[in-house]
Amino acid sequence: MINLSIYRITLVNKSKEQQVLSFYNEEEDLLETMNDFCSHIHKNIRSYTDVQGKHRTFSLANKQHKDVEKRIITGYFDSAYTGEYGKIKDSRTSHLKYDILKGDLFSKDFFYLIHVPKNSKYGFFVFQKKENHGVKVVFENAFNNFIRTKGVSNFFLELKHAPSRYLITNFFKFGRLKEFRLIDSTVKSNDKFINMNLGREERVIKLNNAVNSEVIKDVLVELFDNFSHENRISFLNHGEFDEISFIITHNGVSKTFYVKDKEKIRASLNVSNMVEFQDGEATFDSLIKICLELIDSAA
């Protein structure tokens, strides 16, 4: 299974002002800075310890490819971590070839694509998602540390989910609404709890009728597609709310959508039926092609 995660890239200053990526800091092009960063982590493996105490490394499996015309950088990451036990066996005889010990680094390579368009405040970062091999946080931290070493201290790279329209459309068209939440940022006080900050209030409605589920799903999809930037969201005759989230299940996968804060929607997509395979692996060219299509639908 080939799963891709897509993130939107922004570069902000200390005042949280977004920069035009192709000439930030007055003359720097983020495409060239990203290319320098990739060369750096290819030569300098990043080592760190995760919250579970596992030793991890992060690098490039091979030298990156830069396409100036398409303004993309592509290649394969190398991610590894300790703490796995296992055995490597011969596929024909099942004879033991090698024991994987707890202190050994368990490594996997996976595809990535970085796109930095000209004259835009948004770029895109797409990578192949693999279990137990996180990328987003380590990439973000490693890049921000890298530009500090280059003397650039007033800009920060931020990565936020950027779900493609293809993913959203499939869930909305074919999925089943499981539940939705009407969210108020603060609990309304009464005399008993006056002046007490109790946190936010959520009304959870679970759907068990297929007909009602489709009707409510249509209402939520309409809100999702047409909500602009009002402070409160009106929902039928239930009043106004700070946020409405809803869970849709499609092909055995449940995904949470948000009417207002769409950047919270996790953007992972199974593209196994959209890429070409050779010797059981997705081809490099077909991965680039589908990534650019997903970026086009997320832009």
Side-chain angles (χ1 to χ4, degrees), residues 19 24 35-36 57 101-102 113 137 149 152 155 160 168 200 209 228 241 243 249 255 261 270 273 279 299:
Q19 307 300 300
Y24 77 96
N35 191 58
D36 292 342
T57 62
L101 304 178
K102 187 176 181 180
L113 180 145
V137 173
T149 65
V152 181
F155 296 104
K160 294 185 178 180
I168 291 171
R200 73 180 189 177
N209 181 291
S228 54
F241 302 89
E243 179 64 281
T249 301
K255 191 168 290 291
D261 193 357
N270 182 357
N273 62 343
D279 298 327

Side-chain angles (χ1 to χ4, degrees), residues 46-110:
R46 183 172 177 82
S47 298
Y48 63 104
T49 302
D50 66 16
V51 294
Q52 296 177 328
K54 293 180 179 180
H55 174 60
R56 289 183 176 267
T57 62
F58 181 75
S59 183
L60 298 190
N62 48 32
K63 195 175 187 306
Q64 74 275 11
H65 300 269
K66 183 178 73 171
D67 187 323
V68 176
E69 183 178 345
K70 294 180 179 177
R71 294 189 60 82
I72 60 173
I73 298 170
T74 54
Y76 289 88
F77 288 127
D78 181 327
S79 172
Y81 64 95
T82 61
E84 289 284 338
Y85 290 103
K87 300 178 185 294
I88 304 296
K89 292 186 176 182
D90 187 285
S91 61
R92 293 176 293 105
T93 65
S94 290
H95 290 162
L96 179 67
K97 296 178 70 175
Y98 185 72
D99 278 313
I100 300 175
L101 304 178
K102 187 176 181 180
D104 291 332
L105 282 167
F106 184 74
S107 175
K108 283 189 176 181
D109 296 350
F110 46 101

